[in-house]
Structures are given as structure tokens and as C-alpha cells.
């Protein structure tokens, strides 16, 4: 497997850990609001895990992005300016960037790009 793809997967997996913590902090701070959606974690940085679970993870990420946009568009909310939300938004943006790069590798190279 391409070492760059492994590094990208490892970064995405780290990002999911950051998202879990940001999600928890946001949920604790704004308990009256529904919690941000869950995001499954890839078990390892392998091509098999990527191929087996990627479509579902992309769908979950799309739901998470919609949630963040909904909070951003809610006028007059304290959540938008709160550090907990800013951390959540930042981790979601990073995950989205990793996801786009992973999708590109899967589409263009079939996941088997030469190093």
C-alpha cells in the first residue's frame, strides 16, 4: 500500500479522535442542544478498512458538516463564538479536507498509487 495513503489514513484516524473530544466538549457545554452526530473510526490505516467502511464514513461526515452549518447559520446563538464550537468546527474542516484527499486517491489511483 502506498505510504502516502497510509499517512493520510493515519491523519484521518487522529482527526476522528480529535472530533470525538470536540464533540464531547461541545455536548457538555451545550447540553440543551442535540449532540453532534457520531463518526465511526477506521480500525486501522489499511486499504481493506478504507474500502470496507469509507462510504459509510463519508455519509456520516456529510451529516456532521450539515450539523456544523446549521449551528453556524442559527442567528444569535452563543455557540458560534464559543471555543468549544470553534474547536468542533475546526476538527470537522480538517476531517473534510482529509476525506476529500482520500476520495481523490481512491478515485484517481484506485488506492494503489505508486509512492
Amino acid at each position: 500500500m502506498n505510504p502516502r495513503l497510509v499517512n493520510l489514513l493515519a491523519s484521518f484516524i487522529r482527526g476522528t479522535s480529535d472530533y470525538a473530544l470536540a464533540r464531547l466538549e461541545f455536548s457538555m457545554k451545550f447540553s440543551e442542544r442535540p449532540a453532534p452526530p457520531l463518526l465511526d473510526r477506521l480500525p486501522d490505516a489499511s486499504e481493506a478498512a478504507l474500502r470496507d467502511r469509507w462510504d459509510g464514513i463519508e455519509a456520516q461526515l456529510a451529516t456532521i458538516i450539515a450539523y456544523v452549518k446549521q449551528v453556524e447559520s442559527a442567528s444569535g446563538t452563543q455557540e458560534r463564538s464559543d471555543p468549544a464550537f470553534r474547536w468542533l468546527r475546526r476538527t470537522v474542516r480538517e476531517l473534510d479536507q482529509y476525506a476529500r484527499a482520500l476520495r481523490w486517491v481512491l478515485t484517481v489511483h484506485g488506492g494503489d498509487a505508486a509512492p
Side-chain angles (χ1 to χ4, degrees), residues 82-101:
D82 190 85
F85 176 70
R86 290 195 314 260
W87 184 30
L88 180 72
R89 181 178 51 203
R90 186 174 54 252
T91 60
V92 170
R93 285 180 181 167
E94 288 173 5
L95 285 171
D96 185 43
Q97 289 174 347
Y98 291 135
R100 289 172 189 265

Side-chain angles (χ1 to χ4, degrees), residues 30-97:
F30 299 101
S31 57
E32 70 284 352
R33 176 180 272 287
L38 291 171
L39 179 63
D40 289 340
R41 213 180 126 102
L42 288 169
D44 55 37
S46 72
E47 188 174 346
L50 179 64
R51 293 199 182 278
D52 289 345
R53 298 190 181 185
W54 189 248
D55 290 338
I57 288 175
E58 273 186 321
Q60 289 176 332
L61 189 54
T63 303
I64 292 165
I65 291 168
Y67 177 92
V68 169
K69 286 180 180 179
Q70 186 273 325
V71 173
E72 286 178 323
S73 68
S75 60
T77 62
Q78 289 182 341
E79 290 97 337
R80 287 187 312 205
S81 61
D82 190 85
F85 176 70
R86 290 195 314 260
W87 184 30
L88 180 72
R89 181 178 51 203
R90 186 174 54 252
T91 60
V92 170
R93 285 180 181 167
E94 288 173 5
L95 285 171
D96 185 43
Q97 289 174 347

Side-chain angles (χ1 to χ4, degrees), residues 25-35:
E25 183 174 334
F26 182 81
S27 296
M28 289 174 56
K29 182 104 185 214
F30 299 101
S31 57
E32 70 284 352
R33 176 180 272 287

